[in-house]
């Protein structure tokens, strides 16, 4: 009896909620179903040249992952002591709900650098890059290359 019912649906019979979905129906509606689900839970993503992010929404406790490079367009302030303020492309709940990791992404040099970060607010990070020169740490000149990843809610 099941085989007859399946043939009837595949053969052009009408479908309703009491019948199992056909492969054709699943193929034609899967993208729409997934898109609606992701929108409903708040999933959002953006992939750019200097910054990208994925916001997983309520399904994953509002977890956000942001990564990119510190470039002139993201620097909002430079201080005399070598600290630069840069903005993330996405806001976190507040400054205590995310962690930021930075690193020197210039493989063309053999300079030892240390990066210190401080989360000023929901999307502004203070970054100080110091360089080891002749046995002592000094502020790094403004022209440096750094990448970051920030994870939080």
């Amino acid at each position: 009896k099941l085989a007859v019912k399946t043939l009837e649906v595949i053969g052009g019979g009408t479908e309703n909620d009491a019948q199992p979905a056909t492969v054709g129906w699943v193929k034609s509606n899967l993208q729409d179903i997934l898109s609606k689900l992701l929108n409903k839970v708040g999933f959002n993503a953006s992939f750019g040249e200097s910054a990208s992010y994925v916001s997983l929404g309520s399904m994953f406790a509002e977890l956000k992952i942001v990564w990119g490079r510190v470039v002139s367009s993201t620097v909002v302030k430079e201080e005399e002591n070598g600290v630069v303020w840069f903005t993330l492309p996405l806001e976190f709940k507040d400054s205590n709900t995310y962690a930021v990791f930075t690193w020197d992404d210039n493989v063309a040099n053999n300079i030892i650098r240390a990066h210190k970060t401080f989360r000023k607010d929901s999307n502004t990070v203070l970054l100080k890059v110091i360089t080891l020169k002749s046995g002592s740490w000094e502020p790094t000149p403004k022209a440096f290359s750094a990448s970051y990843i920030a994870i939080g809610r």
Side-chain angles (χ1 to χ4, degrees):
K1 193 169 189 179
L2 180 61
V4 172
K5 187 69 166 176
T6 303
L7 289 174
E8 181 181 311
V9 171
I10 293 172
T14 59
E15 293 190 44
N16 59 48
D17 290 343
Q19 296 174 328
T22 64
V23 173
W25 182 90
V26 171
K27 282 182 178 179
S28 66
N29 290 287
L30 185 60
Q31 184 175 358
D32 185 49
I33 292 168
L34 284 175
S35 178
K36 286 178 181 176
L37 173 66
L38 292 175
N39 284 335
K40 187 170 184 157
V41 299
F43 177 86
N44 193 3
S46 175
F47 302 98
E49 189 174 316
S50 61
S52 302
Y53 66 85
V54 175
S55 178
L56 299 175
S58 61
M59 197 166 169
F60 294 96
E62 305 299 333
L63 182 67
K64 299 171 185 168
I65 304 169
V66 181
W67 65 95
R69 298 189 68 224
V70 179
V71 294
S72 58
S73 64
T74 62
V75 172
V76 292
K77 183 177 178 181
E78 295 182 30
E79 296 180 1
E80 292 297 318
N81 61 1
V83 173
V84 295
W85 298 30
F86 71 93
T87 55
L88 301 171
L90 182 71
E91 288 193 6
F92 290 91
K93 187 174 178 182
D94 61 49
S95 64
N96 294 319
T97 60
Y98 69 98
V100 178
F101 306 96
T102 61
W103 62 92
D104 185 343
D105 63 4
N106 183 354
V107 296
N109 67 44
N110 293 324
I111 298 170
I112 298 174
R113 292 191 173 125
H115 293 204
K116 295 180 171 190
T117 59
F118 175 76
R119 302 171 316 272
K120 178 153 180 55
D121 59 31
S122 62
N123 75 329
T124 305
V125 178
L126 280 62
L127 169 64
K128 183 172 187 173
V129 180
I130 54 177
T131 303
L132 183 61
K133 287 186 180 178
S134 303
S136 65
W137 292 98
E138 300 175 10
T140 301
K142 293 177 184 175
F144 64 87
S145 182
S147 291
Y148 66 87
I149 186 168
I151 302 171
R153 298 181 322 147

